[in-house]
C-alpha cells in the first residue's frame, strides 16, 4: 500500500535548535509539496518540487527555512534556528502531476513540531 | 494524533441527512478544484475533483458543484454518516502555475447520531 512517509511524527525542541523533517514520497510521483498547518492559518503552502527541482518556495520564510530534495526518495524541510511561532503540523504530499493530468495529492500523516 | 484544533466554521448535521459544504475560491483563472477530507490526527485525503470546464461531478455519495461566475464551490454529501465527521477543505490549482495547490480555510462537519 503506497503511502507518503514522514518523520518524525512528533518533535519537541527548544527555541534556537535546528529541526529537520523528512518525507519519503510515493515512488514514481514527480511532485512533492510541503504544507504547514496551524490553528490560525489552516494549510499554508511552503514549497514544492517538480522532478526534484524547486518550483515555488515563496511561502517559506527564507531566513530560517530551507527545503531540498537530495534524491527522488527524500524531501527535507529544515528550520534553523527554530522559533516558538514555528510550532505547527508540517505535511508532505506527493502526486504525479503532468500537463494533462493535474492528479491528486497524497498526504503523509504529518510531523507535529513544538518549539518551546 | 496530529489534531490541530483549527478555529473553523462548523456544520452540524444529523446522521442520514444531506450535508452541503461551501467554499469561495480566490483565483478566477484556477482550472482545477479538489475537495479534501481531514480526519483528526491524519493528513488530508482526496475526495473528489472537478475541472473548470465542468459545473458538476458526482462520486459515491458526494457531488461537487462549481459556479465560476461567483467563484464558488460546494460539496454535497448524501446520507451523512458518522464516519463523515471531519474537516473538509477545498483546494484550487492552475496548471499554468505548475499545479500549485492552494487550500481554502476548511469547514468542520460534525455528524450527530
Amino acid at each position: 500500500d503506497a503511502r507518503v512517509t514522514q518523520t518524525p511524527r512528533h518533535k519537541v525542541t527548544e527555541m534556537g535548535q535546528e529541526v529537520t523533517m523528512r518525507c519519503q514520497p510515493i515512488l514514481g510521483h514527480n511532485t512533492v509539496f510541503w504544507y504547514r498547518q496551524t490553528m490560525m492559518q489552516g494549510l499554508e503552502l511552503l514549497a514544492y518540487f517538480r522532478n526534484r527541482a524547486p518550483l515555488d518556495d515563496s511561502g517559506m520564510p527564507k531566513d530560517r527555512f530551507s527545503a531540498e530534495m537530495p534524491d527522488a526518495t527524500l524531501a527535507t524541510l529544515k528550520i534553523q534556528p527554530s522559533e516558538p511561532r514555528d510550532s505547527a503540523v508540517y505535511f508532505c504530499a506527493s502526486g504525479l502531476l503532468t500537463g494533462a493530468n493535474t492528479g491528486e495529492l497524497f498526504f503523509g500523516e504529518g510531523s507535529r513540531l513544538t518549539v518551546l | 494524533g496530529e489534531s490541530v484544533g483549527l478555529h473553523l466554521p462548523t456544520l452540524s448535521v444529523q446522521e442520514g441527512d444531506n450535508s452541503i459544504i461551501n467554499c469561495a475560491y480566490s483565483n478566477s483563472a484556477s482550472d482545477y478544484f479538489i475537495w479534501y477530507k481531514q480526519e483528526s490526527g491524519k493528513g488530508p485525503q482526496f475526495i473528489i475533483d472537478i475541472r473548470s470546464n465542468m459545473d458538476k461531478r458526482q462520486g459515491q455519495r458526494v457531488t461537487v458543484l462549481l459556479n465560476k461566475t461567483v467563484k464558488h464551490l460546494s460539496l454535497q454529501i448524501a446520507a451523512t454518516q458518522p464516519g463523515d465527521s471531519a474537516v473538509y477543505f477545498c483546494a484550487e490549482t492552475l496548471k499554468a502555475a505548475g499545479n500549485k495547490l492552494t487550500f481554502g480555510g476548511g469547514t468542520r462537519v460534525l455528524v450527530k447520531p
Side-chain angles (χ1 to χ4, degrees):
Chain A
D1 188 21
R3 64 178 69 183
V4 175
T5 304
Q6 289 186 247
T7 57
R9 291 295 310 278
H10 302 271
K11 175 74 175 179
V12 179
T13 191
E14 292 189 345
M15 183 173 60
Q17 296 298 305
E18 177 179 304
V19 175
T20 299
M21 288 167 276
R22 293 176 174 82
C23 168
Q24 181 177 357
I26 292 173
L27 188 66
H29 282 183
N30 64 348
T31 308
V32 175
F33 292 75
W34 281 105
Y35 287 91
R36 173 170 64 183
Q37 189 170 42
T38 62
M39 198 155 52
M40 301 307 296
Q41 298 294 329
L43 279 158
E44 300 172 83
L45 176 63
L46 296 176
Y48 73 113
F49 296 79
R50 175 73 45 80
N51 297 321
R52 295 177 54 203
L55 277 190
D56 188 338
D57 62 1
S58 59
M60 207 164 63
K62 300 293 190 305
D63 57 336
R64 299 184 300 107
F65 283 59
S66 61
E68 296 178 347
M69 279 201 75
D71 60 61
T73 65
L74 177 65
T76 62
L77 180 66
K78 186 179 296 186
I79 308 173
Q80 168 64 23
S82 58
E83 297 180 1
R85 60 181 167 152
D86 301 330
S87 297
V89 181
Y90 291 81
F91 286 103
C92 174
S94 73
L96 180 60
L97 306 182
T98 65
N101 168 33
T102 39
E104 69 179 270
L105 292 189
F106 294 81
F107 281 77
E109 298 281 86
S111 294
R112 178 184 272 280
L113 173 65
T114 302
V115 183
L116 303 175
Chain B
E2 309 307 342
S3 177
V4 179
L6 291 165
H7 294 153
L8 296 168
T10 299
L11 174 68
S12 291
V13 60
Q14 201 70 38
E15 182 179 355
D17 287 352
N18 296 335
S19 304
I20 299 176
I21 307 163
N22 296 305
C23 173
Y25 63 91
S26 57
N27 188 350
S28 57
S30 291
D31 49 20
Y32 181 65
F33 305 88
I34 312 105
W35 280 98
Y36 281 86
K37 172 186 180 184
Q38 186 177 22
E39 296 175 297
S40 181
K42 297 186 177 181
Q45 183 179 20
F46 173 93
I47 303 173
I48 191 168
D49 59 359
I50 188 168
R51 298 185 187 279
S52 60
N53 61 354
M54 304 169 67
D55 53 22
K56 180 179 180 179
R57 187 160 189 229
Q58 287 185 289
Q60 186 178 14
R61 283 201 309 118
V62 293
T63 300
V64 55
L65 299 177
L66 174 63
N67 185 332
K68 294 183 289 294
T69 303
V70 294
K71 293 192 292 185
H72 184 267
L73 198 64
S74 68
L75 178 70
Q76 301 176 2
I77 305 174
T80 312
Q81 302 170 357
D84 296 326
S85 291
V87 176
Y88 290 80
F89 292 95
C90 66
E92 59 183 301
T93 189
L94 177 61
K95 282 192 292 187
N99 301 114
K100 178 178 176 178
L101 193 67
T102 304
F103 282 82
T107 298
R108 189 183 305 277
V109 172
L110 293 176
V111 181
K112 297 177 288 186

